[in-house]
Amino acid sequence: MSLKRRLDGVVPPELLEKVPTSFEVIGSRAGAVAIIEIPPELEPYKYAIAKAVAEMNKHVRAVLRKVGGRSGEYRLYSYETLIEGPTEVLHKEHGYYIKVDPTKVFFSSRDQTDRLDVARRVGEGERVLYLFAGVGPYAVAMAKFAKPRVIVAVELNPWGFKYMVENFRLNKIKNAVAVHGDVAVVAPLFKRKFDRVILTLPLGAYRYLPLAFECLESGGVVHFYHLGREEDPFSEAAEIVKNHCPECRILERRVVRDYAPGVYKVRLDVYKP
């Protein structure tokens, strides 16, 4: 039963169309947290909505309402707690585990298909640099589904670094190195050291694209993430790539997922000759 149908008779008919059609669940059978966006018109019904969300997934122990966009030094969402419960969870996807607290470090379960797609593009023996790594989910996926020589994952948020180290341990990963530091400081230390660089941050990653190219050997690939409008999702990202590396070639354009109404998170796979 959909969330809207569950709330029929609770939320007035004229407001039912405002009820979200989806929400995110992070975690697994041991416990999960649900994250939902509720428009201001439904403010009086937010606790009823949260209760309905929890009833739809028996593993949900906490329900959070997303408030505003990502902000601050670590680009985190702010949340209002609608149902109190543990927010540190163990999330399972594709057979591996990610330990995370979404109130302390950014993580999206909705990127799991993209994680698998990137992992399957990594060649045997490659050296991979993973910038803005958060809790390290792409590193875990790559280590599980490819055979890179080494993955160096860089994260500034101390909670992200803590969970990344824990996730490498949980998944018995031996070929990944977690680095706690600022990408702007760490990346210049790795000039021409890597075959692949991953820039998963869609907000502002373009400012670090020149650094990413500098870290590549000739013939390397950057996975560059950006936001694009629905009517032409790739043009701005492609223009940024062209401005920073005219000789580079875009191998693939991919819509990762919707990000906001009329806005997509996109990925360009860029080859540096």
Side-chain angles (χ1 to χ4, degrees), residues 131-187:
L131 304 177
F132 307 105
V135 299
Y138 280 81
V140 175
M142 287 185 289
K144 287 295 183 181
F145 293 101
K147 294 180 179 179
R149 183 193 310 176
V150 66
I151 305 163
V152 176
V154 184
E155 175 56 36
L156 180 62
N157 182 336
W159 282 103
F161 175 75
K162 170 187 175 294
Y163 282 119
M164 177 160 53
V165 171
E166 178 71 3
N167 289 328
F168 291 169
R169 185 191 67 80
L170 277 172
N171 293 283
K172 299 179 180 178
I173 292 170
K174 305 297 184 184
N175 59 344
V177 178
V179 177
H180 183 206
D182 187 335
V183 163
V185 175
V186 175

Side-chain angles (χ1 to χ4, degrees), residues 3-19 41-46 48-49:
L3 184 57
K4 190 175 295 186
R5 287 186 62 188
R6 282 181 179 271
L7 292 164
D8 191 8
V10 178
V11 174
E14 65 272 17
L15 292 177
L16 266 180
E17 65 176 20
K18 299 287 186 179
V19 173
E41 298 93 326
L42 296 177
E43 181 72 21
Y45 310 99
K46 60 185 180 182
I49 293 171

Side-chain angles (χ1 to χ4, degrees), residues 237-239 241-242 248-253 268-271:
E239 187 65 23
V241 169
K242 181 180 178 182
C248 286
R249 178 162 52 93
I250 297 173
L251 301 176
E252 185 165 340
R253 296 166 168 86
L268 300 188
D269 298 347
V270 185
Y271 173 82

